[in-house]
Amino acid sequence: MAGKSVAYRHFQRVLTQWPVDTLRPQVSFQNALRRRIDKQLGPSTTDNTSYDPANESKDTLVTPLKPYNEEEQLEQVNVLYSFIENRYAQKYPLSNRLLKPLSNPEYYENLVKELEEAPKRSFFGRLLNSWKGFIRWS
């Protein structure tokens, strides 16, 4: 049980550091991961299956959990840490040629700008933007 608590603490730490998705705040990676680790690694976990016919409805698809393997759980935590620390962007940097294609050099800059502005837009701003997409001025 002590091994579970180490992986569990690491998962909890990762969840506190994970950024919130501003485009879809109602869909939370943190909540999905928290439910999974509480089910599999939680301090009160005693069995390794998630199927209980008395508690599950017929519409719910349930898969049995694999037996606990601390090394595997710590590898998963390491992957999550690597995303938070942005290890892959540092190891494999993008070239300027890839970020600014000749066909449309400002494409990615405009995309990032649009993604930053989208959550802050009002209902009428979103409606106006959708109408701008329908009308083409040439």
Side-chain angles (χ1 to χ4, degrees):
M1 195 66 157
K4 287 186 182 185
S5 64
V6 170
Y8 186 78
R9 284 193 312 255
H10 279 293
F11 272 117
Q12 293 297 327
R13 183 168 177 249
V14 166
L15 288 174
T16 60
Q17 296 176 357
W18 199 268
V20 176
D21 187 357
T22 55
L23 288 179
R24 298 171 295 174
Q26 69 278 6
V27 179
S28 172
F29 176 74
Q30 292 94 332
N31 290 342
L33 186 59
R34 187 172 287 114
R35 281 193 304 269
R36 184 185 80 75
I37 63 172
D38 284 343
K39 185 182 282 187
Q40 189 170 14
L41 302 177
S44 63
T45 302
T46 55
D47 65 329
N48 289 330
T49 61
S50 64
Y51 180 70
D52 184 7
N55 294 336
E56 299 292 333
S57 68
K58 292 180 181 179
D59 297 335
T60 306
L61 177 65
V62 178
T63 57
L65 296 174
K66 295 188 323 185
Y68 178 75
N69 181 349
E70 181 179 1
E71 185 177 319
E72 189 176 296
Q73 297 300 324
L74 291 174
E75 285 176 11
Q76 291 179 12
V77 169
N78 187 27
V79 170
L80 292 173
Y81 277 129
S82 71
F83 287 139
I84 289 173
E85 295 167 358
N86 219 3
R87 285 184 211 162
Y88 302 107
Q90 294 167 2
K91 187 174 182 178
Y92 306 105
L94 297 176
S95 68
N96 198 28
R97 188 173 173 198
L98 183 65
L99 291 173
K100 296 181 186 271
L102 294 177
S103 61
N104 190 357
E106 295 87 26
Y107 177 78
Y108 291 110
E109 293 168 6
N110 293 339
L111 180 63
V112 168
K113 182 178 151 192
E114 178 70 22
L115 289 173
E116 289 172 350
E117 292 174 358
K120 301 170 190 158
R121 232 179 249 131
S122 68
F123 171 76
F124 294 110
R126 290 191 304 265
L127 189 63
L128 180 65
N129 253 12
S130 68
W131 280 102
K132 282 184 191 176
F134 290 126
I135 301 171
R136 302 276 185 226
W137 305 101
S138 53

